[in-house]
Amino acid sequence: MKIHNQNMQKSAIFHLAFLLLFSISWVAASAKPINQFIRCVVRNSGNSTAASKVIFTPNNASYTQIFNSRVQNFEYALPNSRKPLVIITPNHESQVQAAIRCSKEFHLQMRIRSGGHDFSGASFASKSPFFMLDMSNFSSISIDLKTRTAWLGVAARLGEVYYTIYQANNSLYFPGGSGPTVGVGGLVSGGGYGPFARKYGLAADNVIDARVVDANGRILDRKSMGEDFFWAIRGGNGASFGVVLSYQVNLVEIRPNFTAFNVSRTLEQNAIKLLHKWQYVAPRVPRDLSITARFSSGSAAFLAFFQGDVDTLLSLMKEYFPELGVTKEDCDNIRWIDNYAYQYSFPIQSTREFLLRGVNPNLTPNPYFKGRSEFVQKPIPEIGIKKIWNLFLQRNPTDSAMECTPFGGKMDEIPVSMIPFPHRVGTSYLVVNIASWNTTNSTMPQDSINWSRRLYNIMGKYIPNTPSNPRGAYVNYRDFDLGTNNPHGHTSVEQARVWGAHYFKSNFDRLVKVKTKIDPQNFFNFEQSIPPYSNS
């Protein structure tokens, strides 16, 4: 036992020494050129005084506050995480161009952040020395009521977007996601689904123009970038291709007032049978109705939004889903803008505060989490739902959750090749599961990650995964468990296909062709970026 303890001590000392050496190497390898890099950015930005005010190093008092301001998963903000050597918060396009030019000159990797919701931290963490281009100043919202369009800065938060549109015209809407703190850039980059996708499609389906800085520092719009480039940045992992500055979007007609309900059922109230039946119902009801299913340890919740009155909703529920037993007393009349507060159980009287103050309504309240996604094509049998339920019973209700968002409706009508997001016809619903924890001082982090992987394996027994029909995942819920590119050097297309096929299926090859054409030197690269055909 004594020998064993001595060996453990030696191992711990060696490990500590290795980490210290690695940390010193990290600083030493990057400290020498960092001042030259900063001077390069200032020199190439046009207005040197303005540029110097948007550059922050760890020595700046504001550095930590800026870094943490848009981090949603604090797993990647822990003291031992690899943080950027420099943060640049450009407020002018010329500063973005300068950052790209100097990144290439000094071979310093760039990470682009708009909202900070990246599940795996790829937008603000790296194993290599890097700087972060924080786009938070590109948050303008400009609405044209005459054309029913809007220009949205990539860092405009959805809560701000919805509130601004509603104030301008309460019958117009941009089909985005549910989280008010999500940035428009990150949302559109992967497609962008929300509670009304069954009626209006994805956020990316409603984008009609964009402004982008490419790897050569050129500022392009849809006409000058070409249709292939424009296709790729709407759902194809946009940061693989350029720095998007803003998107122009169509605004759609929406009914100002909705009927909604949020009812919960326990195991004793046939929750498993109801979840099983929901799979057949939710993708097939009229597209004015969306019924989302959520469950955690002990109960299942069914959340519905309907563009119509309560009597019509009750009639539809009686026709399609009588087993749920929804009554008029379960229903609420709300404005469409209230649905975001309503679905996270915030009082609708505080909708404005909820949307504008930057609340992050994660499915669980803990600051650290592991998230995974799944696209389900065929209903999971009752026995499978029971196995999933039993796994949730092993967790604290506040430490895990699953949300199932139905597709169908308009999503079935848009060809899989229209944009890179391929999960259309034949997809019943999207699952996102979250395993979270609130401390780093125990085995809880690894236990939570292992639990998430067990859940993924259980679901895999009921979901096809073949070369011709790979198991689907949502790129906006980035998951490094699916595979990553090489951290240094060349990554082959076939290596990237291991993870890329899950996100993009048959559209992956077209994305590679676009990448090869517009960024052949693979300037825009990270753990799950699209590679060109040859970047050796």
Side-chain angles (χ1 to χ4, degrees), residues 177-474:
S178 298
T181 61
V182 174
V184 168
L187 177 83
V188 175
S189 175
Y193 78 96
F196 312 124
R198 301 186 68 252
K199 176 147 185 169
Y200 303 112
L202 304 175
D205 295 329
N206 292 278
V207 171
I208 56 176
D209 204 346
R211 286 179 60 80
V212 183
V213 185
D214 72 0
N216 295 315
R218 299 175 301 175
I219 299 175
L220 308 172
D221 61 9
R222 179 175 183 173
K223 183 177 180 180
S224 56
M225 77 176 74
E227 288 302 302
D228 284 342
F229 197 160
F230 184 62
W231 176 85
I233 61 173
R234 292 175 296 147
N237 210 353
S240 293
F241 304 95
V243 179
V244 182
L245 305 172
S246 58
Y247 287 105
Q248 187 183 29
V249 302
N250 274 324
L251 303 180
V252 299
E253 286 276 357
I254 194 168
R255 184 183 173 111
N257 295 311
F258 279 25
T259 305
F261 66 75
N262 188 355
V263 298
S264 294
R265 299 292 184 258
T266 64
L267 192 63
E268 293 74 22
Q269 295 171 311
N270 293 320
I272 289 177
K273 289 186 178 297
L274 291 172
L275 286 168
H276 181 251
K277 177 66 181 291
W278 172 89
Q279 298 177 99
Y280 293 89
V281 171
R284 295 175 174 83
V285 295
R287 62 189 64 191
D288 280 335
L289 173 60
S290 178
I291 310 172
T292 297
R294 292 175 175 170
F295 64 95
S296 58
S297 178
S299 67
F302 298 88
L303 175 71
F305 296 108
F306 176 60
Q307 294 197 47
D309 58 57
V310 63
D311 291 331
T312 305
L313 173 59
L314 291 175
S315 177
L316 289 172
M317 293 303 296
K318 184 176 181 180
E319 177 183 356
Y320 287 94
F321 203 2
E323 297 88 346
L324 190 56
V326 176
T327 66
K328 182 171 288 191
E329 288 69 30
D330 294 319
C331 298
D332 297 288
N333 181 261
I334 64 172
R335 304 169 300 171
W336 73 256
I337 199 172
D338 293 325
N339 90 85
Y340 300 100
Y342 185 90
Q343 64 182 290
Y344 291 105
S345 300
F346 278 74
I348 60 175
Q349 293 82 0
S350 62
T351 288
R352 181 181 182 277
E353 179 186 13
F354 177 80
L355 293 175
L356 298 184
R357 74 172 183 174
V359 176
N360 174 29
N362 201 336
L363 293 177
T364 57
N366 298 320
Y368 314 107
F369 65 88
K370 167 70 175 177
R372 306 200 74 169
S373 63
E374 191 87 69
F375 287 95
V376 180
Q377 296 174 323
K378 294 183 179 180
I380 296 172
E382 276 192 44
I383 188 172
I385 295 175
K386 187 174 182 180
K387 290 179 180 178
I388 294 170
W389 188 283
N390 288 337
L391 193 63
F392 270 90
L393 291 177
Q394 300 175 18
R395 301 276 294 178
N396 187 306
T398 61
D399 292 342
S400 58
M402 177 180 283
E403 181 174 272
C404 306
T405 302
F407 278 16
K410 188 175 182 65
M411 294 293 286
D412 277 343
E413 299 171 359
I414 301 174
V416 298
S417 60
M418 184 63 70
I419 64 172
F421 181 96
H423 313 284
R424 304 282 193 173
V425 179
T427 297
S428 292
Y429 59 97
L430 167 61
V431 174
V432 54
N433 69 75
I434 301 288
S436 68
W437 57 96
N438 58 15
T439 178
T440 60
N441 299 321
S442 69
T443 61
M444 191 178 293
Q446 192 58 50
D447 289 346
S448 297
I449 291 171
N450 291 340
W451 179 90
S452 176
R453 290 169 178 167
R454 289 198 301 273
L455 175 58
Y456 188 77
N457 290 336
I458 287 175
M459 294 192 66
K461 296 177 180 178
Y462 308 100
I463 295 174
N465 186 25
T466 65
S468 61
N469 185 25
R471 193 173 175 182
Y474 183 40

Side-chain angles (χ1 to χ4, degrees), residues 30-43:
S30 51
K32 185 177 180 180
I34 204 65
N35 289 332
Q36 292 97 314
F37 169 77
I38 292 172
R39 286 196 289 270
C40 176
V41 173
V42 172
R43 185 174 64 252

Side-chain angles (χ1 to χ4, degrees), residues 492-512:
S492 70
V493 170
E494 291 311 308
Q495 179 180 340
R497 191 187 303 277
V498 172
W499 56 262
H502 293 285
Y503 296 139
F504 306 114
K505 298 200 173 188
S506 60
N507 290 331
F508 176 76
D509 288 307
R510 183 178 174 187
L511 286 169
V512 173

